[in-house]
Amino acid sequence: MTTTVLVTGATGGIGGHLLTALAGRDVTVRALVRDPARLAGAGGVEVVRGDLRDPDAVAAALDGVDAAFLNSPSAPDAATTQIAVADAAATAGVSRLVLLSQFAARADSPVRFLRWHAAVEQHVHDLGIGHVVLRPNLFLQGLLAFAPLVAATGRFGAPIGDVAVSAVDVRDIADAATAVLTGAGPDGAVHDLTGPRAVTHAGIAAALTRATGHPVTFDDLTPEAFAAALDGVLPPWQAAGLVEDYAHYGRGEAARVDDAVAVLTGHPARTLEEFARDHAAAFAPAG
């Protein structure tokens, strides 16, 4: 019997790769999106128009679904939204809910995003629904936010010093999600998704230098300077949360390497060098 898989966040960085990965599996793929036109090129995907905050749209999207991938945009109410969707999935009889969380999520974390993820994890656990938790570390693709600055100035900065982080490629997150959505591993499992090694931001700059053929320099910023650089770029709550994230990285709490990507997907986690080569054009100076 063909399994029906629902993907939320289908137009995001992970969601797009997840739709591609699922296309090669014997599953029916459904996506809940606000703007179906953004999936015009995704052949074979059942599209339900709606928002995760719309209970009727969520119920329609979950109807007849066997497995669902729960991911929502970063927002102050993200935890509340995800909890409501998890409740709806349990009501709909979803067999497996795959929850995208974050590396080191815990209820007593000083990092607001990690507390929010921990609250959703606990709620899903208490629901008793079949579920798997994916906890990816810092996304390598998150570095693309620095790409225009790197292309223009050859520099980027953050408050982390020479502390390493086992950053992960979002393509590996999507591959891991595909594996667990289609049955890999037991219910109740929590998988930490990391890259194959921990890397420093100076190491990232060196990899971008090699990939682009142009010098890239990393500047270690104070938290205050980093916050000032984010002012007007991100909403205040999100900027404050990102500063907390970087304090977490700077304490060395995100350096551990896990083999979950290789175990779940059957291929090694992508390296920083692969990311840099594949996205070199975004970081290279114009012309």
Side-chain angles (χ1 to χ4, degrees):
M1 183 173 68
T2 301
T3 297
T4 298
V5 175
L6 173 67
V7 176
T8 64
T11 58
I14 296 171
H17 292 296
L18 181 53
L19 292 182
T20 299
L22 285 169
R25 303 295 184 103
D26 184 23
V27 297
T28 297
V29 182
R30 184 180 299 167
L32 174 64
V33 294
R34 285 174 291 183
D35 181 7
R38 295 184 64 184
L39 292 184
V45 177
E46 296 180 1
V47 177
V48 176
R49 181 194 296 269
D51 186 277
L52 285 174
R53 298 180 182 86
D54 179 349
D56 292 336
V58 170
L62 287 167
D63 184 37
V65 163
D66 301 290
F69 178 69
L70 179 51
N71 179 26
S72 65
S74 185
D77 65 346
T80 302
T81 299
Q82 291 189 7
I83 284 171
V85 175
D87 288 345
T91 299
V94 171
S95 299
R96 174 170 282 189
L97 182 66
V98 176
L99 175 64
L100 188 72
S101 184
Q102 187 175 342
F103 188 91
R106 70 176 201 269
D108 63 347
S109 174
V111 182
R112 69 193 67 191
F113 299 143
L114 298 183
R115 294 195 302 272
W116 296 354
H117 283 298
V120 180
E121 285 189 26
Q122 186 62 53
H123 185 83
V124 170
H125 178 270
D126 293 344
L127 272 178
I129 188 174
H131 68 282
V132 175
V133 176
L134 300 179
R135 288 180 174 175
N137 208 344
L138 174 67
F139 297 175
L140 282 171
Q141 276 75 2
L143 297 168
L144 291 169
F146 295 115
L149 181 64
V150 171
T153 69
R155 313 183 78 89
F156 71 104
I160 192 173
D162 60 357
V163 179
V165 178
S166 55
V168 63
D169 195 296
V170 299
R171 293 171 291 185
D172 289 330
I173 302 171
D175 288 348
T178 296
V180 295
L181 283 165
T182 55
D187 281 335
V190 178
H191 301 289
D192 291 330
L193 305 182
T194 76
R197 72 181 195 279
V199 297
T200 65
H201 277 51
I204 291 169
L208 292 175
T209 295
R210 292 190 294 271
T212 64
H214 297 274
V216 177
T217 300
F218 169 68
D219 298 315
D220 181 33
L221 303 179
T222 65
E224 294 76 18
F226 188 53
L230 297 174
D231 186 33
V233 177
L234 296 176
W237 66 268
Q238 194 170 18
L242 188 56
V243 172
E244 292 171 359
D245 265 340
Y246 264 90
H248 157 65
Y249 303 144
R251 291 190 294 269
E253 297 168 355
R256 182 173 56 81
V257 173
D258 197 284
D259 66 352
V261 168
V263 170
L264 291 173
T265 69
H267 66 69
R270 291 171 173 86
T271 65
L272 165 63
E273 289 72 22
E274 288 176 87
F275 165 81
R277 288 195 300 269
D278 292 344
H279 296 86
F283 294 93

